[in-house]
Amino acid sequence: MRRVCALCGRETDILIEGLCPDCYRKTHPLARVKRDVVGIVRCPSCGAILYRGRWVKDPRVIEKLILESIEYMGRVTNASIETLSLRHGLNTAVVKVRGSVHGLISDYDEEVNVRVRYSEELCPRCRDMINERERAVIQVRSAVPMNGLLKRLIIDVVRKETIKNERSGFLKIEDTEEGLDIKLSDQSLARSIAYKIHKAVPSRVTESQSVVRGHGDKVITKLSISVALVPLSRGSVIIYLNRPYYVLSYSQGTFRLMELGSREIINVRLSEIIKDGISVPSYETRCVEDRGSRSLEIMIGNDRYVLNGMC
């Protein structure tokens, strides 16, 4: 039996709430736009997009912002942006939605027009970089004078962490008499660098925050991180509490030392060495053989020490 659509008057085999499938589709959109305009803000320097209060360096965020502005009224199997041209000011994105609003209607495509307002502004990191604004400083100091090898190791850590963080912002390394000062605009990167150094070299890390300006919930802070290095490893010879020691090992913040004169073995916390201080004497080492056994000979000035089985 042929039926008549209440809207267009055509005869049809299928009626849905008194309407033919075409008229039902027209009066029941598959999708609608939830807001008048979608705002897209992009940093012209690094390309990051402002998304829910955070700057995200992912071009897919643009698509996400547009698709999140659409409310689906039926069963949707796919939604994709067909056309989008981002120029300053108002633009129109055409989104193709595929699905159906009723079980008696096969899947079909429907287009939705989304108004997009595009603008550009510098993200905080790029603004800080341009202004060379310092938000964090890592002060790297050492219990013994830092040599070129140790400084290169630290600079290499900074380089690798900066490469991993594409939006590192302002960064400056200063070589001072006391050690190295690493100045940054990114506090999270500063923490990452500090703890990578800590992992590479026996050290103690402490940090503090100070308010630069603002009050309440809108304060701008500066992060200060101190990395106190104790660059010792097995085989190092040091003077600690006026006695010569040979470093046997380091584990979990504790050095195992052998006093060269008495051969007494002691455990000393890294924090104690930082507090008490150490020095590295001028010394020479060599392996010597005596009656078929090899020993380590250590010469500190006129003093000679022999450690059996240590060579």
Side-chain angles (χ1 to χ4, degrees):
M1 177 180 175
R2 303 286 288 178
R3 302 175 182 180
V4 177
C5 174
L7 187 61
C8 68
R10 290 187 304 171
E11 290 186 350
T12 178
D13 292 330
I14 301 173
L15 275 181
I16 305 170
E17 297 177 11
L19 303 176
C20 68
D22 288 343
C23 289
Y24 190 85
R25 282 173 48 181
K26 290 177 183 177
T27 56
H28 296 77
L30 184 57
R32 68 177 184 86
V33 181
K34 291 187 288 187
R35 51 182 180 271
D36 294 337
V37 178
V38 176
I40 294 178
V41 183
R42 177 181 174 274
C43 175
S45 178
C46 70
I49 309 295
L50 184 61
Y51 179 69
R52 295 185 179 182
R54 294 174 58 246
W55 290 89
V56 182
K57 194 172 183 182
D58 184 349
R60 292 173 297 181
V61 169
I62 294 176
E63 180 181 9
K64 197 170 183 179
L65 282 166
I66 293 171
L67 294 182
E68 284 179 350
S69 72
I70 299 174
E71 181 181 1
Y72 303 116
M73 314 300 288
R75 175 182 52 81
V76 173
T77 58
N78 187 54
S80 60
I81 297 174
E82 291 295 292
T83 60
L84 173 63
S85 178
L86 291 179
R87 300 184 180 90
H88 282 277
L90 282 175
N91 303 266
T92 299
V94 178
V95 179
K96 181 192 285 185
V97 180
R98 183 166 185 79
S100 176
V101 289
H102 198 279
L104 295 176
I105 302 176
S106 300
D107 284 6
Y108 58 91
D109 293 331
E110 184 174 291
E111 288 189 349
V112 181
N113 292 332
V114 180
R115 285 161 57 87
V116 177
R117 177 177 287 110
Y118 176 74
S119 62
E120 293 185 345
E121 68 175 72
L122 288 170
C123 69
R125 290 183 179 182
C126 290
R127 193 183 306 120
D128 287 347
M129 183 169 62
I130 290 172
N131 296 331
E132 293 193 350
R133 190 170 296 166
E134 181 184 320
R135 294 276 189 256
V137 59
I138 308 168
Q139 294 183 315
V140 185
R141 303 294 184 260
S142 177
V144 296
M146 295 176 67
N147 57 28
L149 183 64
L150 182 58
K151 288 183 179 180
R152 284 195 297 273
L153 185 150
I154 293 165
I155 292 171
D156 190 51
V157 169
V158 174
R159 180 183 62 82
K160 288 179 179 177
E161 287 302 298
T162 303
I163 289 173
K164 284 165 54 179
N165 189 316
E166 295 179 351
R167 297 171 58 220
S168 57
F170 165 68
L171 188 148
K172 184 178 182 181
I173 301 176
E174 294 181 353
D175 194 340
T176 69
E177 291 184 4
E178 297 83 8
L180 292 174
D181 285 350
I182 306 165
K183 299 179 178 181
L184 312 94
S185 59
D186 188 317
Q187 294 189 356
S188 62
L189 177 60
R191 286 193 176 95
S192 178
I193 289 172
Y195 283 95
K196 285 292 183 180
I197 295 171
H198 173 65
K199 191 174 180 180
V201 184
S203 55
R204 181 184 65 189
V205 178
T206 57
E207 62 176 73
S208 62
Q209 288 271 11
S210 59
V211 176
V212 177
R213 63 177 181 271
H215 60 277
D217 296 332
K218 297 182 179 180
V219 298
I220 296 176
T221 63
K222 179 177 178 180
L223 174 66
S224 297
I225 303 177
S226 170
V227 183
L229 306 176
V230 183
L232 304 177
S233 58
R234 178 179 172 82
S236 298
V237 177
I238 61 172
I239 302 297
Y240 175 61
L241 298 179
N242 298 319
R243 293 182 181 180
Y245 285 90
Y246 180 86
V247 179
L248 296 172
S249 64
Y250 174 75
S251 177
Q252 297 181 345
T254 300
F255 288 96
R256 194 161 177 260
L257 309 177
M258 176 188 287
E259 206 275 320
L260 291 178
S262 65
R263 307 295 192 275
E264 178 189 3
I265 295 176
I266 62 172
N267 293 321
V268 183
R269 300 288 298 173
L270 181 142
S271 57
E272 294 179 81
I273 286 183
I274 293 174
K275 178 173 67 74
D276 298 329
I278 59 171
S279 62
V280 177
S282 177
Y283 66 93
E284 295 179 359
T285 61
R286 64 170 184 158
C287 289
V288 295
E289 289 193 18
D290 184 22
R291 299 175 183 177
S293 64
R294 291 167 61 83
S295 301
L296 180 66
E297 180 184 78
I298 301 173
M299 296 293 299
I300 305 176
N302 295 324
D303 297 324
R304 176 177 176 269
Y305 305 95
V306 177
L307 304 181
N308 298 325
M310 299 295 289
C311 193

